[in-house]
Amino acid sequence: DQSVMLKPPRDPKLEIVSNKNWVMIFHDKSHIETRPVGVYRVVGDTTYVSEGLKEGENVITQNQLLIYDALND
């Protein structure tokens, strides 16, 4: 079982929509993807992701809501 460990910033505004956890993947400055992920476990400020990410992907960990709002306005 390969899990990905993320250390998100302490931000109470992280999005949880419809009981899903979402991340934003940075491909390049004109291609940012929003994708649901499966969370295996949360321990303190560390989140272990069990599905939805591939090795080497760049996860945006700051200003996610600002970026999401800018992309959807």
Side-chain angles (χ1 to χ4, degrees):
D1 181 25
Q2 292 184 334
S3 294
V4 176
M5 182 180 73
L6 296 178
K7 286 195 158 205
R10 292 181 180 262
D11 184 349
K13 297 181 231 156
L14 291 175
E15 277 293 302
I16 298 177
V17 179
S18 303
N19 295 326
K20 290 185 180 181
N21 296 283
W22 297 81
V23 295
M24 297 187 82
I25 307 297
F26 178 84
H27 296 284
D28 58 53
K29 60 184 207 181
S30 62
H31 184 197
I32 296 173
E33 177 186 359
T34 303
R35 181 190 310 161
V37 293
V39 172
Y40 172 69
R41 178 182 295 174
V42 177
V43 179
D45 65 349
T46 301
T47 302
Y48 295 89
V49 176
S50 59
E51 60 186 353
L53 290 178
K54 298 176 190 145
E55 186 174 334
E57 289 186 310
N58 295 310
V59 177
I60 298 172
T61 61
Q62 295 181 344
N63 299 317
Q64 300 95 327
L65 293 178
L66 179 67
I67 294 167
Y68 182 83
D69 285 343
L71 292 173
N72 291 290
D73 280 342

